[in-house]
Amino acid sequence: MTVNETILRVTIAFLVLFLLARLMGRKEIGQMTFFNWTTAIGIGSIAGNLAVNESTLIKDGVIALIIWTLFTIMLDMIDLKSKQGRRVTTGDPLIVIKAGRIMEGALKESRVDLDELQALLRQKDIFSLKNVDYAILETNGELSILKKESEQPVTKRDLNISRPKKVLFPLPTEVISDGKVNTENLSKLKIDRNWLDRELQKENIQSIEDVFFAQVQQDGTLYIDTKNK
């Protein structure tokens, strides 16, 4: 295989894989279930063969990637529309701790031993099983925890603390990043550049380029982090 052919194959494999990954959506990355894992392995293997295996025709490799992707999308549609189909493709969450007691049958079914369970709990900052009321092993391998009521954090409602009334924006929003103004976010917030300049001048900042990061808070104030601190 010549260098030019290798470059061509790798370029085609990369572009096709990138486009098909975009087509399949973020679920393949964000929620790695058994089905997603199988899909990722298959597509990666096909793309690898297309890139470096000269016995694989470029046309055949591209067709194989497209067909695999179509199968993935079809099963995703079944997954979205049918609960029974979802059980086949992704399985069901398993309750591994119920009312503070370890469910040995669920651990065996999921092939998770006690050491692995404790490791998953520690990743959630739980070091004692007695603090757990319920624990559910999700289909993507994550462990969802419901602590016992006595271990749950106190909320503002518990303390009868009302939310501050002055909330001008739903979320903190970035307006400067690495010395550059995010004009799109300013427009969304309906804030002009003059307001931003005035806020910077209040902090004795004369140039946008001196700002590493700035974020408009929910109450309308500006958080500023300068360069060369």
Side-chain angles (χ1 to χ4, degrees):
M1 188 188 301
T2 64
V3 174
N4 289 338
E5 185 180 354
T6 301
I7 294 173
L8 177 64
R9 283 175 170 272
V10 171
T11 302
I12 292 174
F14 174 81
L15 291 176
V16 172
L17 189 58
F18 177 76
L19 292 173
L20 294 179
R22 291 286 294 174
L23 183 63
M24 286 185 293
R26 300 181 183 181
K27 185 178 178 182
E28 302 302 316
I29 299 172
Q31 301 176 10
M32 191 60 75
T33 62
F34 298 117
F35 169 60
N36 304 135
W37 181 80
T38 303
T39 298
I41 292 294
I43 287 183
S45 298
I46 295 171
N49 272 314
L50 171 60
V52 300
N53 191 347
E54 59 182 339
S55 64
T56 301
L57 296 177
I58 293 177
K59 178 187 68 175
D60 293 341
V62 172
I63 291 173
L65 280 173
I66 292 173
I67 292 175
W68 194 286
T69 301
L70 290 176
F71 273 121
T72 300
I73 293 173
M74 181 181 68
L75 288 174
D76 270 338
M77 295 301 295
I78 294 173
D79 191 38
L80 288 171
K81 296 182 178 295
S82 169
K83 189 171 183 178
Q84 297 300 326
R86 191 157 53 247
R87 286 179 176 173
V88 173
T89 58
T90 62
D92 286 324
L94 292 173
I95 298 175
V96 292
I97 297 178
K98 182 177 182 180
R101 295 187 175 276
I102 298 173
M103 309 302 291
E104 296 178 23
L107 288 181
K108 289 179 181 178
E109 184 178 346
S110 59
R111 295 181 177 85
V112 173
D113 58 38
L114 276 175
D115 290 338
E116 290 174 313
L117 177 62
Q118 291 181 81
L120 290 171
L121 289 170
R122 288 194 295 271
Q123 290 173 15
K124 300 290 186 179
D125 297 326
I126 295 175
F127 291 83
S128 176
L129 285 168
K130 73 175 184 178
N131 296 334
V132 181
D133 194 13
Y134 277 82
I136 301 174
L137 188 64
E138 306 293 353
T139 56
N140 60 359
E142 291 284 334
L143 194 67
S144 299
I145 307 293
L146 176 64
K147 294 182 181 180
K148 290 183 178 178
E149 189 173 349
S150 60
E151 299 297 326
Q152 292 179 14
V154 177
T155 65
K156 289 184 177 181
R157 179 180 295 177
D158 295 330
L159 299 175
N160 292 321
I161 299 176
S162 60
R163 183 178 179 180
K165 294 181 180 180
K166 188 180 178 182
V167 178
L168 302 178
F169 306 110
L171 290 172
T173 305
E174 169 196 309
V175 290
I176 300 176
S177 178
D178 199 15
K180 295 181 180 179
V181 177
N182 189 323
T183 54
E184 182 179 351
N185 283 350
L186 280 180
S187 178
K188 288 179 180 178
L189 296 176
K190 297 181 180 179
I191 293 175
D192 59 21
R193 179 66 179 268
N194 292 331
W195 177 89
L196 184 59
D197 290 336
R198 287 195 301 271
E199 293 299 312
L200 293 177
Q201 288 172 6
K202 289 178 184 178
E203 302 297 327
N204 296 320
I205 298 171
Q206 304 302 322
S207 174
I208 295 288
E209 294 179 357
D210 295 333
V211 180
F212 183 67
F213 180 79
Q215 185 183 59
V216 176
Q217 305 302 298
Q218 291 174 285
D219 61 0
T221 59
L222 186 67
Y223 167 79
I224 302 170
D225 185 80
T226 57
K227 295 181 180 179
N228 303 321
K229 295 179 287 297

